[in-house]
Amino acid sequence: MLEKLCKLARTPATRLPALSPPPPQNILATRDEYVHHLRYRKYWPPEDTPDTPLFCLYRLYEFLVIDDVIGYRNTLEYFCKQRTWAVREIPDPQDDDPARYAFLACLPALLKAAFNERIKLGLVRDIPAIMSPEQAEAYRTAPESSKTYEEEPERVKNVKPLEETLYMVSHDGVVMEGFDDPRASDYFKRMNILIWGPHIHFT
């Protein structure tokens, strides 16, 4: 059932779907099965296929839909480490499902917020993994003029909000009643998607 829902290519079930994952509503309808599916699937494209910002964006989408905090935080960190993947240059998914397309249009704003908070602290995306205390201090005290902040792609401004509110479900089955709930995410509100504010910041 899940393999049919995911439109999996004729490759082992542990491979990334060749086409888009299901719309949010479909994933939520089979959430437990989908969680199991993601835990046993490799988080990379099929063998001999290079990873891309869009592949990663769809993985982030899946983890956010099922409210897998560890999964989406790991994906945010992974994207951040791909230094050549500028947020503003993420290609248009041109997704044919309105709900999925609207959800995807919210994700560059999450990436921008998460990465820019790090950049503000001197944790730029090309920072070395191993540094001396002196190097770390130099990054921390770097002048603001030397920092390059991330931006959203211009195209996301042209994505239309959903006509009907899409209510997302938390990992423990809670659904918020409206956007006046302080836990609701502003990043998704503009697309009429009611979802808990995700924990996007990391160091």
Side-chain angles (χ1 to χ4, degrees):
M1 172 62 182
L2 184 59
E3 290 197 6
K4 182 178 180 181
L5 187 65
C6 291
K7 304 178 184 177
L8 288 175
R10 294 188 179 280
T11 52
T14 53
R15 299 288 177 81
L16 186 72
L19 301 177
S20 302
Q25 308 94 315
N26 295 22
I27 292 178
L28 292 176
T30 59
R31 185 186 181 281
D32 291 343
E33 189 178 359
Y34 207 85
V35 168
H36 179 80
H37 163 69
L38 289 186
R39 286 178 178 170
Y40 288 92
R41 188 193 73 193
K42 295 180 180 179
Y43 298 157
W44 319 117
E47 189 176 355
D48 299 326
T49 302
D51 204 1
T52 68
L54 275 185
F55 267 116
C56 197
L57 201 71
Y58 273 100
R59 295 197 299 269
L60 181 59
Y61 156 82
E62 291 177 300
F63 286 125
L64 284 164
V65 168
I66 65 172
D67 194 25
D68 183 335
V69 177
I70 294 176
Y72 70 66
R73 284 176 63 86
N74 286 345
T75 306
L76 283 168
E77 290 191 43
Y78 172 80
F79 196 114
C80 187
K81 292 177 182 177
Q82 312 312 306
R83 302 168 184 175
T84 61
W85 292 1
V87 174
R88 67 179 177 277
E89 295 175 0
I90 298 174
D92 187 345
Q94 299 183 18
D95 199 298
D96 59 2
D97 181 83
R100 192 169 52 214
Y101 192 42
F103 201 106
L104 290 166
C106 301
L107 303 190
L110 294 184
L111 296 169
K112 171 187 171 182
F115 300 168
N116 283 353
E117 182 65 23
R118 288 173 50 85
I119 294 169
K120 182 179 179 181
L121 299 174
L123 301 172
V124 293
R125 292 184 64 183
D126 61 352
I127 195 169
I130 300 177
M131 296 182 292
S132 67
E134 292 76 18
Q135 288 175 311
E137 180 64 14
Y139 277 106
R140 189 185 69 80
T141 58
E144 198 63 22
S145 60
S146 69
K147 299 173 183 177
T148 302
Y149 287 95
E150 298 289 344
E151 297 290 342
E152 292 182 71
E154 284 293 321
R155 60 172 175 77
V156 299
K157 299 176 182 178
N158 300 321
V159 180
K160 296 180 179 180
L162 298 174
E163 293 183 3
E164 296 185 8
T165 301
L166 175 61
Y167 292 85
M168 303 303 296
V169 185
S170 70
H171 69 278
D172 51 358
V174 177
V175 180
M176 290 178 288
E177 294 184 359
F179 289 107
D180 56 345
D181 191 310
R183 299 169 296 181
S185 171
D186 289 334
Y187 300 113
F188 289 85
K189 180 179 180 179
R190 63 186 184 183
M191 287 296 163
N192 203 17
I193 299 173
L194 184 58
I195 187 174
W196 292 50
H199 305 287
I200 60 172
H201 296 295
F202 58 96
T203 56

